[in-house]
Amino acid sequence: RLTHPSGGTRLVQWNMDCYPEILEIAGLIKPGGMAARACRWLNRRLLRRLDHVVCLDQAMKSLLQSHYARGDKPSVTVVPNFESRHRFPAPGRAASWEGVRRLGLGGRLVVLYQGNAGWGHEFDAVLDAADDLRDEPVAFLFVGGGMQFPRIREAAGRRGLVNVHLHSYVPEEQVASVLASADLALITLSDEAAGVMSPSKLHGCLAMGLPVVYLGPPGSNVDDAVTRFGCGVRIPQGHAPELVRFLRSALSDRRQLATMKRAARQAFEEAYCEERTLPQLDEVIGITPSDEAARERRAA
């Protein structure tokens, strides 16, 4: 419950993931089964009583409106997720991660997947591209964990992909250094996960000036960033040859890569840091920049 400056009360939901859809994708409940239908019935009753819903991208907005809205109730606004600027130094100022030397990645084009690899992510095209590029100076580095890590490790070992490297999660204070040691950020999203979840790893990658290689459907927050700022490329799921062509072009044209790196940091500063997104949330709630509550929150 949020108290509006005028004295009234508004109920606003900040929607991060969509249930029961994510449970259906994960195989935890039967798609369209009794549990899913009960959840959707409850969602419809709850959401139509809200004053407003904030969600993370256009695909999520479309899903919420098509499944749960009645007329113009509730109204929905897209406000992207964000990272705090103080967590990520400007590109070029973070120390290099020691794992680059230990894993022998020096002199290679490092394509980094950082974070959780779980439900809603696909890696078949990535492994196929690694197979095609096995004799070229390209390394695929996975730093994190998740249910798909064992599958990636097994597939890389079975196919003899010595250019695929997996490392467990690092402490939070090392994340910026890991990102600073890569050339490209890899983000994947399965087609059925569009609108259900929104990859949050995007924002830290942009903060560190990493161009994005996005394998996934249109309409997501990642697709929006790539389209709007030119800070990377979107490749449909399953299109390994297109991924190979892009990585070869990045190898041969470092000026293009440098342009994308500058665009990535620009995207962060213009759209995905707290200074840009928190005022959008204030506007939804009805707080103006002159309100005391807004000033106190920003100071905190």
Side-chain angles (χ1 to χ4, degrees):
R1 287 179 167 273
L2 301 164
T3 302
H4 192 275
S6 66
T9 300
R10 304 182 69 216
L11 190 59
V12 180
Q13 175 176 307
W14 195 1
N15 196 82
M16 294 288 174
D17 298 302
C18 292
Y19 292 85
E21 290 79 11
I22 197 169
L23 300 178
E24 293 175 312
I25 292 173
L28 298 177
I29 63 174
K30 180 181 178 181
M34 183 178 296
R37 293 198 304 272
C39 288
R40 289 193 172 97
W41 174 84
L42 182 61
N43 281 347
R44 284 191 290 271
R45 288 182 63 85
L46 291 175
L47 265 68
R48 290 169 185 174
R49 286 163 171 77
L50 299 176
D51 292 292
H52 206 86
V53 174
V54 175
C55 66
L56 303 181
D57 57 36
Q58 289 296 330
M60 188 174 290
K61 178 178 179 178
S62 296
L63 185 150
L64 292 172
Q65 290 182 322
S66 63
H67 286 196
Y68 304 115
R70 175 182 291 168
D72 60 354
K73 190 72 172 179
S75 54
V76 183
T77 297
V78 173
V79 179
N81 235 327
F82 60 92
E83 283 285 0
S84 298
R85 189 189 295 267
H86 74 270
R87 286 193 62 210
F88 297 95
R93 296 183 182 177
S96 180
W97 182 50
E98 57 85 21
V100 170
R101 176 192 54 78
R102 180 162 41 82
L103 295 172
L105 304 182
R108 295 179 176 271
L109 183 80
V110 178
V111 183
L112 170 68
Y113 186 92
Q114 190 272 326
N116 182 65
W119 294 308
H121 304 290
E122 293 284 348
F123 298 97
D124 289 343
V126 178
L127 293 167
D128 288 344
D131 205 340
D132 284 349
L133 295 166
R134 62 171 64 233
D135 297 323
E136 299 178 48
V138 178
F140 295 84
L141 173 62
F142 294 80
V143 177
M147 61 170 292
Q148 295 220 45
F149 251 55
R151 175 181 172 273
I152 296 169
R153 181 178 287 109
E154 185 278 330
R158 174 168 41 83
R159 298 169 71 164
L161 302 179
V162 296
N163 54 350
V164 174
H165 307 266
L166 287 88
H167 191 283
S168 59
Y169 286 106
V170 299
E172 183 178 351
E173 59 270 17
Q174 294 183 22
V175 169
S177 293
V178 172
L179 294 171
S181 302
D183 297 292
L184 292 161
L186 174 66
I187 301 178
T188 75
L189 188 68
S190 62
D191 290 344
E192 62 267 26
V196 176
M197 53 194 291
S198 185
S200 59
K201 58 176 59 66
L202 167 71
H203 315 100
C205 295
L206 295 179
M208 294 305 297
L210 273 185
V212 174
V213 182
Y214 169 54
L215 275 75
S220 71
N221 63 328
V222 189
D223 176 53
D224 181 65
V226 168
T227 302
R228 179 180 172 190
F229 293 98
C231 56
V233 62
R234 184 185 80 84
I235 298 172
Q237 276 293 353
H239 288 225
E242 190 172 342
L243 174 58
V244 170
R245 284 194 295 272
F246 174 76
L247 294 178
R248 283 176 174 155
S249 72
L251 273 173
S252 62
D253 188 353
R254 292 292 180 146
R255 288 181 298 178
Q256 176 194 18
L257 194 59
T259 299
M260 286 186 176
K261 288 183 176 183
R262 290 191 294 270
R265 180 65 185 192
Q266 179 185 355
F268 173 71
E269 293 179 348
E270 291 189 11
Y272 302 106
C273 61
E274 72 274 39
E275 291 96 331
R276 298 296 185 180
T277 53
L278 291 182
Q280 296 177 60
L281 293 173
D282 287 344
E283 183 177 354
V284 168
I285 297 169
I287 298 174
T288 65
S290 61
D291 291 324
E292 183 178 355
R295 288 198 303 271
E296 289 178 355
R297 190 176 74 237
R298 292 203 181 94

